[in-house]
Amino acid sequence: MGVVRNRVEVMHGVNLDALGRREPRHYGDLTYKQLEVRVGEFGRALDLELRFFQSNSEGEFVEHLHRLEGMADGILINPGAWTHYSWAIHDALEIAGLPSVEVHLSDVEHREPWRRVSVVSDLCVATVSGQGLEGYREALARLRQELTP
Ligand code: DQA
């Protein structure tokens, strides 16, 4: 019998704690706490055990990634604006060495040109963007697939 791998760290980066009062046309109108609740429901439906982490400090975010060894089996990551330039987060995600899926609420491919660049996508098995909250369901399902032997 294989070991069950179902622990997913859901990591949100800079400014995502301000959901609910940030451009609803891009990010929807849920607050960050409401998003956690809804994503938690998606996780339960997929038999995943989710833990949530959000920080506006790049250093804390990096250190959290360092601490994941033995604590999580996969990562769902929305680094916010760090997505587009933080090689520090890229390297920390590489150190974490876990199957990861990148998710964005907004359609980063069709906004400002600088949002088209992601420095973490090469480390992720999939990227889901532009589907708002629903995108998290798809991203978790993709991770579930990745964690299932
Ligand atoms: C985001 C997209 C980023 O470009 C932006 O800086 C964010 C949120 C998203 O979820 O759509 O903060 O990651």
Side-chain angles (χ1 to χ4, degrees):
M1 221 173 72
V3 180
V4 182
R5 293 194 305 153
N6 69 350
R7 297 167 304 172
V8 174
E9 199 74 14
V10 180
M11 296 188 62
H12 284 92
V14 63
N15 292 321
L16 285 157
D17 58 331
L19 287 177
R21 55 194 173 92
R22 276 185 85 183
E23 300 176 285
R25 76 193 169 97
H26 287 304
Y27 303 118
D29 47 24
L30 293 185
T31 64
Y32 173 71
K33 279 292 156 203
Q34 289 167 336
L35 180 96
E36 275 195 352
V37 171
R38 301 295 301 278
V39 174
E41 289 166 4
F42 296 160
R44 273 191 295 283
L46 289 161
D47 204 19
L48 292 170
E49 223 177 79
L50 305 191
R51 273 202 339 182
F52 291 88
F53 177 82
Q54 190 278 329
S55 181
N56 292 322
S57 152
E58 190 181 12
E60 269 179 24
F61 199 86
V62 162
E63 282 173 10
H64 195 78
L65 283 165
H66 290 177
R67 283 194 295 265
L68 289 186
E69 198 177 350
M71 306 291 293
D73 303 306
I75 302 172
L76 183 66
I77 189 167
N78 181 349
W82 292 327
T83 305
H84 313 300
Y85 66 89
S86 175
W87 292 104
I89 286 172
H90 169 278
D91 286 357
L93 188 60
E94 192 164 45
I95 291 166
L98 296 171
S100 303
V101 172
E102 174 184 2
V103 66
H104 300 285
L105 290 157
S106 68
D107 187 1
V108 284
E109 289 301 319
H110 297 98
R111 295 180 62 193
E112 302 91 326
W114 57 269
R115 290 190 205 268
R116 287 187 207 137
V117 177
S118 166
V119 300
V120 296
S121 58
D122 66 314
L123 298 171
C124 294
V125 295
T127 298
V128 180
S129 64
Q131 297 183 44
L133 173 70
E134 271 306 306
Y136 283 74
R137 193 203 299 273
E138 183 181 330
L140 285 172
R142 185 65 185 79
L143 259 183
R144 167 83 278 175
Q145 226 177 46
E146 205 58 31
L147 297 178
T148 305

